[in-house]
């Protein structure tokens, strides 16, 4: 399995870090506001808010000094974690527990506070905007775990494809030493999505150049008390691929014609 997983963030500390006791050690967790510049609309910025988590003692000590609106640089890896999530049934109010829910966080290998003492969020954003090109960078090399799925087609929405990949860890993650791989989702849009759904399949090895996206998501659960279905708010984290390089075990154009003579035609914008 291919091995590569690298994240670089330069962002604004959203609010004071949280500190959690993990047995005899302490972990720190915080979120950064990072920027992406629109590739189609001039002077338009998009905001994402990835979460950083570490139990490295030296890093935790440094994070204790961080303040809201500080500008922080992070280099690290995207990490899959199993956590417990709680939600309340909208019908009967029962609190339901979802065990082994998967979340994605950034495990830092390097941390540095670039600027502090910034009074307002507006001032912090003005300082960050000139560095938008390096605010949110992600490179991932891994193996496709599922055939790409078309999730949006049409003139109002750009063609969008999603699929999970497996990335074998090459760094030791202290709080989960027994885990050796991570499984982020990849989303691609437009022409890249059209290519992915044609040429990729389970087992393809790819290299993704993109960024981390965070968004609100709606989950559906069955209440353990009343048995009714209900929706609850959650957060989704995925890698948006600017470009995807096909390395191994992908279809050639000739094979696409042979294997999928009636291949899905995506709607043009």
């Amino acid at each position: 399995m291919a091995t590569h997983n690298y994240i670089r963030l330069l962002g604004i500390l959203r609010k004071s870090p949280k500190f959690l006791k993990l047995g005899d050690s302490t972990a720190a967790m915080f979120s950064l506001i990072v920027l992406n510049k629109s590739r189609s609309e001039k002077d338009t910025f998009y905001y994402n808010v990835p979460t950083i988590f570490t139990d490295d003692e030296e890093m935790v000590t440094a994070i204790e000094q961080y303040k809201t609106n500080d500008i922080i640089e992070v280099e690290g890896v995207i990490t899959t974690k199993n956590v417990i999530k709680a939600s309340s049934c909208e019908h009967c109010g029962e609190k339901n527990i979802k065990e082994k829910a998967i979340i994605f966080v950034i495990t830092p290998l390097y941390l540095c506070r670039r600027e502090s003492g910034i009074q307002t969020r507006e001032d912090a954003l003005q300082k960050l905007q000139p560095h938008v090109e390096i605010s949110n960078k992600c490179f991932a090399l891994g193996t496709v775990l599922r055939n790409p799925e078309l999730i949006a087609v049409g003139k109002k929405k750009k063609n969008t494809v999603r699929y999970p990949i497996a990335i074998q860890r090459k760094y030791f993650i202290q709080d989960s030493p027994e885990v050796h791989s991570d499984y982020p989702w990849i989303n691609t849009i437009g022409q890249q999505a059209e290519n992915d759904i044609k040429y990729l399949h389970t087992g393809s090895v790819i290299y993704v150049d993109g960024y981390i996206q965070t968004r609100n998501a709606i989950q559906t659960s069955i209440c353990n008390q009343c048995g009714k279905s209900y929706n609850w708010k959650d957060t989704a984290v995925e890698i948006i691929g600017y470009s995807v390089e096909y390395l191994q075990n992908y279809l050639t154009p000739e094979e696409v014609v042979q294997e999928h003579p009636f291949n899905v035609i995506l709607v043009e914008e």
Side-chain angles (χ1 to χ4, degrees):
M1 185 182 297
T3 60
H4 194 85
N5 180 355
Y6 174 78
I7 310 291
R8 184 183 182 188
L9 306 174
L10 184 69
I12 301 164
L13 188 66
R14 183 169 174 261
K15 57 184 180 181
S16 297
K18 294 182 179 180
F19 298 93
L20 312 170
K21 291 297 293 182
L22 298 178
D24 296 331
S25 64
T26 300
M29 182 169 62
F30 62 91
S31 296
L32 289 180
I33 299 170
V34 296
L35 300 182
N36 291 92
K37 193 172 184 179
S38 172
R39 297 201 169 188
S40 59
E41 301 174 52
K42 186 178 180 180
D43 298 325
T44 298
F45 297 92
Y46 298 104
Y47 303 89
N48 289 289
V49 191
T51 297
I52 290 81
F53 180 94
T54 182
D55 62 354
D56 179 87
E57 186 175 350
E58 291 186 7
M59 289 187 181
V60 171
T61 299
I63 292 168
E64 289 175 349
Q65 307 303 315
Y66 291 1
K67 306 296 182 183
T68 301
N69 293 329
D70 285 354
I71 293 181
I72 310 296
E73 181 182 358
V74 177
E75 292 187 27
V77 295
I78 190 167
T79 305
T80 310
K81 291 188 178 297
N82 290 322
V83 299
I84 296 174
K85 290 187 177 182
S87 62
S88 296
C89 176
E90 62 187 20
H91 305 291
C92 69
E94 177 72 10
K95 183 178 181 180
N96 293 278
I97 301 298
K98 182 179 181 181
E99 297 185 357
K100 294 185 178 181
I102 295 177
I103 65 169
F104 297 97
V105 298
I106 308 305
T107 298
L109 304 174
Y110 166 83
L111 279 174
C112 180
R113 179 165 60 176
R114 288 300 180 189
E115 194 161 349
S116 62
I118 304 172
Q119 297 302 312
T120 68
R121 181 63 46 79
E122 289 73 21
D123 288 343
L125 287 170
Q126 285 185 357
K127 290 178 179 292
L128 184 61
Q129 283 179 3
H131 307 286
V132 63
E133 296 296 338
I134 60 170
S135 181
N136 185 358
K137 298 289 292 181
C138 173
F139 303 96
L141 193 157
T143 304
V144 176
L145 294 177
R146 189 183 304 174
N147 289 345
E149 172 190 10
L150 186 64
I151 58 174
V153 179
K155 294 184 178 181
K156 291 186 178 181
K157 290 186 176 182
K158 292 185 178 180
N159 300 318
T160 303
V161 163
R162 72 192 299 257
Y163 48 90
I165 65 172
I167 305 172
Q168 187 176 5
R169 288 186 182 178
K170 60 180 179 180
Y171 297 104
F172 176 77
I173 307 298
Q174 187 168 306
D175 66 286
S176 53
E178 73 287 353
V179 179
H180 303 289
S181 299
D182 295 291
Y183 307 97
W185 283 85
I186 308 298
N187 279 22
T188 56
I189 301 168
Q191 184 61 54
Q192 185 63 64
E194 295 182 29
N195 291 338
D196 288 353
I197 205 165
K198 287 180 183 178
Y199 302 122
L200 297 181
H201 55 86
T202 302
S204 298
V205 179
I206 61 173
Y207 180 77
V208 182
D209 176 359
Y211 66 92
I212 299 295
Q213 175 176 275
T214 59
R215 59 179 175 83
N216 295 325
I218 300 297
Q219 301 282 6
T220 301
S221 296
I222 303 298
C223 179
N224 295 325
Q225 179 67 26
C226 68
K228 293 182 179 180
S229 173
Y230 68 95
N231 295 329
W232 51 282
K233 294 181 180 180
D234 198 6
T235 301
V237 180
E238 54 224 352
I239 298 171
I240 304 299
Y242 287 131
S243 65
V244 179
E245 182 178 352
Y246 307 154
L247 301 180
Q248 297 177 16
N249 197 26
Y250 57 91
L251 297 179
T252 64
E254 294 76 17
E255 290 171 327
V256 168
V257 173
Q258 292 175 3
E259 296 192 19
H260 307 286
F262 305 105
N263 195 34
V264 61
I265 300 176
L266 304 183
V267 177
E268 297 289 340
E269 291 291 336

